[in-house]
Structure formats: structure tokens, C-alpha cells
Amino acid sequence: MTALAGVWNFTGEPSAGAAARRMLAAQRIYGPHGDAAWDGGDVAIGRAIYEILPEDVHDRGPIIGGGGRFRLVADVRLDNRDELGAALCIDVDEARTLPDAAIVMRAWERWEMDSFARLYGDYAFALWDEAEHRLVLARDHVGARPLHYHRNASFLAFASMPKGLHALPEIPYAPDEIRAAEFLALMAERGPRSFFAKVSRVEAGQCAVIGRAGITRIWHWHPPTRTPMPVRGTDYAEGLRAHLDAAVAARLRGAGARVGSHLSAGFDSGSVCATAARLMSANGRVVAFTAVPRPGFTGAAGPFRINDEGDLAAATAAKYPNIEHVRVHSSGASALTDLDRDYFLFERPLANADVQQRWNQINAEARDRGIRVMLTAQSGNATISFSGLSYLPELVRRGRLPELLRVAGALVRNRDLRWRGALLQALGPWIPQSLWVLLHEIRSGYRPALSTYSMLKPGRLEAALQADESGDHSDFDPSYRPRSDATDLQRWMLSRVDFGNNQKGVLAGWGVDLRDPTADRRLAEYCMSIPLAAILDQGRLRGLARTAFADLLPPSVLDERRKGHQAADWFESFASQRDHVCGEIDRLAQVGAATAALDMERMRRLAEDWPVGGWTTPGIEARYRHALLRGMVSGHFLRKSSRSNV
């Protein structure tokens, strides 16, 4: 990975080089292996590198191309180097000495904006075009690498992480209160707002073309159209396997003889881990990490939940002699313990701080074992194991009631749904929100409403949305009714949270490069083109995945209907944090940004009515784990980013 920085002074002041070097120094934790910059007087760009890929040793800094017209810095891991090399007629021997950024430059010299259709992998880059006097900032289709910028009347500055921009005194240091409100509502992160005021982010799948006159934002990734007529299900299963094989293989570059992998009880991480083991069977090992509760934990599991995923994960690992399975037991530390560290590394509030705390334990274990690359599967629900349930409302919309009854009946017979659930799934997109909330409350015992799972101050979201002219939140539904457009749902799932900062922070904090094969662009596009009837292969939920990975995973995993309950013992540490919570509420009450966003009265009531038991019941979990804990994490971010001394 690489930390990027650059400055363009619109006034012509020849001070850009000094500013860029200051920004790189502020981001050195993300690129400790050397920095380099090009100084053009009023324009300067640079990078600080973290050497991971084999070709990184050949990276000398900003790449010059087009006879001096272009200058490029890139935070990139290309997954199709050989394919690009062939298309660009790069000699094999020369390719060995070219870092990925140099190949991106060759592509830009040939195709310019059309390059995006040919670039596969994780990337963020900045390209200065001297002839057009413009700067192009771009990120890959899921935003695996972060890129932020600030523009005012005098200058434009960009940096991988906000701390690079905040190295310049002209850029204010304050929270973006609108983005904070949207985050508390669990809205998808759409639009260019970051979590800091006056700091924008390049959105995933987008490039920002910046000139003196302004900014033009262009979407360069467009999901495919779903195939209308299914072919044989086995063909889709074989295609899914082939695409996952290619995605995992691409992400093994630079990992060495051992790679780490998250491994849960589910399809996604199990399939990724098993595929890596199969691909490395001749000369490599996979160290598979499973987060589990402390030994002896006996907390009640909710309906259809697995508290301890260790045994099912072990069953997957046991199929492969080159998988070393490591159960990482909960340390007992609260999610509130490391908020200062997380703020420094990630520079954003964490949506699930309790789960992230468990992942950070895995990061530390991987670091201690000398593992540099960790495979994840956080996008799997949107790609390889997409449920396919959007087929039911699609059949309703198309008036194909006999087919609807046939598919719903098969799902019921296969114990994937009950008739009531099938009916709600089929009609959900058209059920009024108020009625949907009532039905959900009758069914589960708590209301799927903003007031239940969020600590957002009443009326704050409406005010924030009215003030936010940059984001499209027309599809926001706090009750989470089913959606009828499967492709739109998959894209929403892929872009709901911007993970770029998290991946950069993990590398800086633990020296571990997180790579997600299930977010691979070619794999995602393939999965988004498969007919929904094929995804529900044989009338089974995630039927295509069950067929495609039948020989990769043990029957116990393939047949499991329950879902893993991540950080199931979260409440054991949180229950002892009442004094900490009360003290933090008192501090937040003195921070204007926090009192504007958070329902302080409700937070105090929850702290006063501290449960003595029943932490795993849906109502208490919704109020304390989802609302209060997330409110505390968000409040901490608002307090730190306000530079409050309380």
C-alpha cells in the first residue's frame, strides 16, 4: 500500500512541494518504507510507500509519462498485470521491474479515461495532466483504498487519509456533522462527504476530474445487466468457482509461503479460505483465524444464531492439511477500550466497534505470527452467497404467481423460509413502512425503527438530509424492507460502508494487508449478472453457492441454517462499563457537535436503567449494543474531531 499526497496552488505560489512533503510526513505510519515527490512549483504530488508486493522495491516515486505530460502517484495492487502487459506490449523481462503504478501509467498513456474498464484490482490514484491542466483522482469499484481531498478558492490538496490534509493549517479540523448524523442512522455512505468538515472523499467506482473552474465527478464502474434467460445451473456454478479461484489467486501475490484468512462458520470466509488452501497446496499454508468467545462462555444464543463458530470453522479447516486453524478467544476488553487508538488509525467512527475489537485481536495474532496478507470475505453476501430472495418480489412485479408459489414452496420445503416469511419477502417492497414495522415487532419483539437502533437526536436526521445536497438518500428505509431490484441491492451492499480507511488503518496498526476476494470486480460483475432463478438453485436459499462450493466445505457448514453471532459475548465487558459510559456522557454533554447529534437524555436514561441481565434479548441488545454503544463510539469521534479538551 501507499500513502498519497499532493497540492495544486491556483494562485501560482511555488510552495506546493513543501506542503506535499508535510502531508506525506503526517501519513508516514501508512507508508514507512520511504517517500518521494515531484515538485512542479505550484503543483506537487508524492507518495510514501509500504512495501508488500514483489515489484514495490522498484517503485521510485511519482511516475512520469506521456513525454512529461502526465505525472502519477498510485496506491495500487493490480490483479491483471499479465493481461495488461500483453495488451500494452510490455516485455516480460521489463515487467518484472515495473511497479503496478508504472503499469497504470502505461495504460493511461494508451487509453486515458478508457483505462478504467481495463484496470482490475484495488487502487486509488492521482494523475496530473500538464497539457489539460487538470488533476484526476480515482478509486476502484468498491473503494478498497482511500482518497480524500480539499478544494477552496486558493488551492486543491489531496491525501490518502484525512491526517495528511490536516497537516496543512489552512484546512479546518472539525467533524462533518451531517455525515455523522447519516452514520448514526446507518445510512449508506453516498456522496463526497467524509467524516471531517471541508474534507471530501472520492467515492468508490468514481473519478473526480478537477480543474481551476471546478470538479466533475464521473462514475467509471457500471454494474452489468442481469442475464434474462438462465442456462444450466451447473454452468453458473462452474463459472462462480472459476471466478473465485481467480480472485483468490490474484490476492495471494506478495503473501509469501503463508497467508492469513478469516474463517467463520459461514459460506463466504469458508470458501475463500478453502480456495486459498487448494491453490497453495503444493508449497504454502493458510493460517485460518476464528474469533470465538472466552472459554466457558454460556450466554444464550438468539434464534437462528451461533455464538461460537469455532467448531464449524474447524470442520472446514480439517478438510485441508495445509490449513492451521487458530481460535482467537475474546480478550475480555470492552469495545470502548481502544477508541483513541482506533480514532488515530482509521479516522472515522466504526459501525461495529465491538466486532472490530475482535478483528483487531486477530490482526495482532497475525502480526505476531509474521503474516503480512489476510484474506477476508466481507463482501460475500453481495456476491458469492447472495441470497437470491429478490426473485420473489420480482415474480410479484412480473405477475408470475404460479412460479412464485413454486419457488416459495421449494424454499419452505428446504427449511429456508416459512410461508409467512416467504409472503413478507415477496410483498415487502410494497408494504407501507409503518405496517412493516408493526409486523416486524409482532414477529421479533422489537421495532426495526430508527428510534430503536440509533442514538440519533430526534429531528436531527431530517435536518441533516435537508442540508445534504451532495448525497442521494432517496432509497433510505430505516425499517429495512426487502428490495425488488436485486442488482441495485447488490450494489448498495457493496458500497454501503466505505472500508478504505479501515484497510489502511489495519496496515498501519498491525502490518497486515487486508484483501477481500469476494469484492473482486470480475467476480462481482459475474455474480450480478446471474439470473435470480439460478441463484435459488433447486429452490434453496443461496442455492448456487451450495452447489458451487459443495466439495470445498463440509456438510455441517453447507447444511447450517443459523448465522454466526459475531462478538456474542460483547455484553460481558460492556456490562462492567457503566461508570465509563456515564463519564463519557458527561464529557459529550460539553461538546457542541455531540449534543447536536446525540439524544443525550436517552443516553442518560439507558445508563441509569442499566440491565442486571437479559443482555441477549432483542430489545436490550438493540438499545445497548446497537444504539448506546454505537452512540458512544460516534460521540467519541465527534469529541476528538472537535478537539475538545473535556
Side-chain angles (χ1 to χ4, degrees):
M1 281 194 181
T2 304
L4 310 180
V7 174
W8 177 12
N9 289 326
F10 300 147
T11 60
E13 290 291 327
S15 59
R21 287 190 293 273
R22 190 158 59 246
M23 296 166 70
L24 289 174
Q27 299 180 92
R28 193 151 289 145
I29 60 168
Y30 308 108
H33 298 147
D35 54 46
W38 165 77
D39 186 354
D42 61 340
V43 180
I45 62 174
R47 65 96 181 104
I49 195 167
Y50 202 125
E51 293 180 356
I52 295 177
L53 300 173
E55 298 81 8
D56 284 345
V57 296
H58 303 293
D59 192 318
R60 299 292 179 262
I63 308 296
I64 301 174
R69 173 183 172 182
F70 304 125
R71 284 171 173 79
L72 170 79
V73 286
D75 179 12
V76 56
R77 188 203 69 248
L78 288 173
D79 293 337
N80 62 331
R81 277 179 59 97
D82 292 344
E83 177 184 321
L84 282 170
L88 294 165
C89 300
I90 299 174
D91 181 80
V92 174
D93 291 333
E94 182 188 11
R96 295 192 186 99
T97 64
L98 291 179
D100 285 11
I103 295 180
V104 172
M105 174 60 86
R106 298 283 183 95
W108 192 269
E109 288 176 314
R110 173 77 67 85
W111 301 298
E112 294 196 24
M113 294 291 285
D114 291 336
S115 299
F116 293 113
R118 300 171 179 265
L119 298 179
Y120 293 90
D122 299 345
Y123 62 81
F125 69 76
L127 182 136
W128 171 250
D129 185 337
E130 180 66 31
E132 297 291 335
H133 227 57
R134 66 177 184 176
L135 185 69
V136 179
L137 306 178
R139 293 175 74 194
D140 64 73
H141 70 296
V142 292
R145 306 289 172 92
L147 190 55
H148 298 81
Y149 62 94
H150 167 89
R151 186 184 187 279
N152 60 32
S154 300
F155 71 95
L156 177 287
F158 68 86
S160 291
M161 296 292 280
K163 59 170 55 70
L165 294 171
H166 289 140
L168 303 181
E170 300 89 347
I171 299 178
Y173 196 107
D176 187 298
E177 297 184 25
I178 293 175
R179 176 60 83 199
E182 295 169 349
F183 173 81
L184 280 163
L186 293 189
M187 298 180 67
E189 295 177 25
R190 292 185 175 174
R193 290 184 182 276
S194 77
F195 286 93
F196 287 94
K198 307 299 182 181
V199 173
S200 299
R201 68 187 180 104
V202 179
E203 292 187 70
Q206 191 180 87
C207 68
V209 181
I210 303 168
R212 291 183 183 275
I215 301 174
T216 301
R217 299 182 180 91
I218 302 170
W219 293 105
H220 64 74
W221 184 57
H222 305 281
T225 301
R226 196 170 297 278
T227 305
M229 295 297 293
V231 296
R232 292 183 303 119
T234 53
D235 293 339
Y236 287 117
E238 291 169 2
L240 184 57
R241 278 287 292 271
H243 278 81
L244 182 61
D245 282 358
V248 172
R251 281 155 183 80
L252 294 177
R253 183 159 68 104
R258 289 197 311 163
V259 68
S261 179
H262 283 259
L263 179 60
S264 70
F267 284 8
D268 301 333
S269 62
S271 300
V272 167
C273 184
T275 298
R278 184 168 53 80
L279 293 175
M280 300 178 72
S281 60
N283 54 6
R285 295 184 61 78
V286 178
V287 183
F289 298 92
T290 305
V292 296
R294 63 164 177 82
F297 174 73
T298 57
F304 306 108
R305 286 180 169 183
I306 306 170
N307 278 353
D308 187 338
E309 302 181 74
D311 289 345
L312 284 170
T316 296
K319 285 178 62 70
Y320 303 91
N322 63 331
I323 291 183
E324 176 187 353
H325 186 220
V326 180
R327 302 188 195 218
V328 180
H329 292 277
S330 171
S331 66
S334 166
L336 302 176
T337 303
D338 296 319
L339 291 182
D340 285 348
R341 178 202 61 190
D342 292 345
Y343 176 85
F344 177 71
L345 290 176
F346 304 123
E347 294 197 283
R348 58 161 295 145
L350 301 174
N352 298 295
D354 50 346
V355 176
Q356 183 69 50
Q357 198 269 343
R358 303 299 194 269
W359 289 347
N360 289 346
Q361 285 184 244
I362 291 177
N363 295 332
E365 185 75 22
R367 175 201 60 204
D368 293 345
R369 291 169 177 263
I371 290 171
R372 303 181 68 199
V373 172
M374 177 77 72
L375 302 179
T376 70
Q378 60 195 20
S379 300
N381 285 339
T383 56
I384 64 174
S385 67
F386 184 61
S387 71
L389 285 177
S390 300
Y391 192 39
L392 300 183
E394 178 183 299
L395 291 173
V396 172
R397 186 179 66 247
R398 295 165 59 185
R400 297 178 57 187
L401 298 184
E403 176 68 2
L404 173 64
L405 291 174
R406 186 192 68 79
V407 174
L411 289 166
V412 171
R413 287 192 300 275
N414 288 321
R415 298 182 295 113
D416 287 321
L417 290 177
R418 297 177 181 176
W419 277 110
R420 179 178 60 184
L423 181 64
L424 289 174
Q425 181 68 39
L427 300 179
W430 300 283
I431 295 176
Q433 186 182 102
S434 58
L435 178 57
W436 178 264
V437 169
L438 177 61
L439 292 172
H440 193 286
E441 184 174 17
I442 293 172
R443 183 183 181 191
S444 64
Y446 77 97
R447 297 174 63 83
L450 192 62
S451 59
T452 301
Y453 65 75
S454 175
M455 202 52 68
L456 194 61
K457 190 173 185 176
R460 178 60 188 139
L461 180 62
E462 292 77 9
L465 295 183
Q466 187 174 3
D468 185 7
E469 300 176 352
S470 62
D472 177 13
H473 305 302
S474 58
D475 62 348
F476 174 59
D477 181 357
S479 65
Y480 290 93
R481 288 171 295 176
R483 300 188 182 207
S484 59
D485 187 327
T487 301
D488 179 65
L489 173 59
Q490 288 172 286
R491 180 163 189 169
W492 177 83
M493 294 169 72
L494 286 170
S495 63
R496 180 183 176 187
V497 177
D498 190 332
F499 286 110
N501 286 32
N502 296 61
Q503 297 186 190
K504 188 71 73 177
V506 168
L507 182 66
W510 294 273
V512 176
D513 186 12
L514 300 181
R515 302 179 183 178
D516 183 3
T518 64
D520 181 270
R521 187 179 129 202
R522 284 174 167 164
L523 173 65
E525 290 175 351
Y526 179 77
C527 292
M528 296 170 82
S529 69
I530 300 172
L532 295 175
I535 294 176
L536 289 177
D537 183 40
Q538 302 176 47
R540 300 173 299 168
L541 193 66
R542 299 179 174 86
L544 183 62
R546 294 176 190 273
T547 298
F549 308 132
D551 63 325
L552 288 181
L553 304 173
S556 57
V557 172
L558 290 166
D559 296 337
E560 182 59 68
R561 262 62 177 179
R562 297 172 298 168
K563 293 183 178 181
H565 188 197
Q566 294 182 317
D569 56 348
W570 68 276
F571 60 89
E572 290 195 336
S573 56
F574 190 70
S576 64
Q577 295 287 306
R578 183 177 183 180
D579 290 344
H580 183 123
V581 169
C582 291
E584 182 66 9
I585 291 173
D586 290 339
R587 286 186 287 271
L588 294 178
Q590 302 176 59
V591 179
T595 58
L598 297 167
D599 188 342
M600 303 301 297
E601 292 183 9
R602 186 178 176 218
M603 293 179 78
R604 292 191 186 280
R605 287 198 305 270
L606 289 175
E608 291 170 359
D609 299 335
W610 204 253
V612 295
W615 287 93
T616 59
T617 61
I620 290 180
E621 187 170 32
R623 290 194 296 274
Y624 285 86
R625 185 179 192 182
H626 302 313
L628 183 59
L629 178 56
R630 189 176 292 121
M632 299 291 294
V633 172
S634 299
H636 177 273
F637 179 87
L638 292 168
R639 179 166 66 84
K640 296 289 286 187
S641 58
S642 297
R643 289 190 163 172
S644 168
N645 292 322
V646 298

